[in-house]
Amino acid sequence: GPHAFCRYGFIGDSDTGIELTRGDVALPRAEGMSEAYQRSGGLGTIFPNIGLFASPTCFLFINMRPLAVDKCQMEVHFYYGSKEAAVDDKYAEARQALEAQWANLNEEDMTICHRTQVGRSCDDFDGGHFAPFWDLAQINLHRQWADAMVGEGLFSAVDQ
């Protein structure tokens, strides 16, 4: 089921939020995109482990696969806005640059998440405080996990 979805717009010189041009070649936008979506994108998650990201030039499907209590594998699948953008050699550098930027961004996120988990598991940590605006999605996700684990609520794995 849904966890959190948001839509955002791009401002300034970059119309994508992430640099998609290498040399003189930019990834083409998805065909048939309305004017309203030319300078916007969206992201979201689906409980329990799917991430989605849409931009004017590509769509990402992210699968977080738990392997152990302290280990997770992330698979990122890129779907470009046209067959030409996905396979034409003319766009190879732009695709590689985009994929490298996502890898770097995700590496930063993994480091932050790991450090947060280490800090939260420390005996001296009192649980901290949630930020009302930023943590609503996290609170909701944890509520969904708790419901699923005890067989209650919308995300119960148990037939009701």
Side-chain angles (χ1 to χ4, degrees):
H3 167 48
F5 291 92
C6 67
R7 186 166 173 214
Y8 55 88
F10 304 116
I11 60 173
D13 294 336
S14 173
D15 63 351
T16 56
I18 215 166
E19 180 62 44
L20 301 178
T21 304
R22 283 297 175 259
D24 294 329
V25 179
L27 288 169
R29 297 182 182 287
E31 298 166 9
M33 185 178 292
S34 72
E35 188 65 33
Y37 288 97
Q38 289 289 326
R39 294 183 54 81
S40 68
L43 59 95
T45 59
I46 299 175
F47 180 80
N49 62 336
I50 302 297
L52 308 167
F53 175 84
S55 78
T57 59
C58 68
F59 180 83
L60 274 63
F61 177 88
I62 303 166
N63 182 19
M64 302 297 289
R65 181 177 295 148
L67 302 175
V69 173
D70 62 346
K71 190 172 185 178
C72 184
Q73 178 184 40
M74 178 191 293
E75 295 175 352
V76 181
H77 302 271
F78 290 81
Y79 298 92
Y80 293 96
S82 67
K83 182 177 180 181
E84 180 185 25
V87 299
D88 194 314
D89 288 342
K90 174 170 93 173
Y91 299 109
E93 278 189 71
R95 286 191 306 269
Q96 291 167 359
L98 176 64
E99 292 166 13
Q101 287 182 2
W102 272 100
N104 289 337
L105 178 66
N106 288 332
E107 185 66 34
E108 290 174 11
D109 289 348
M110 286 187 280
T111 301
I112 292 167
C113 290
H114 174 74
R115 289 178 179 171
T116 299
Q117 289 302 99
V118 169
R120 285 189 171 271
S121 65
C122 175
D123 290 340
D124 291 333
F125 183 68
D126 68 0
H129 302 282
F130 286 106
F133 178 79
W134 292 111
D135 289 329
L136 287 177
Q138 293 301 321
I139 292 167
N140 188 44
L141 177 64
H142 290 113
R143 183 178 302 119
Q144 290 172 355
W145 268 107
D147 286 351
M149 290 168 58
V150 298
E152 297 177 357
L154 294 174
F155 299 97
S156 170
V158 178
D159 292 328
Q160 297 186 26

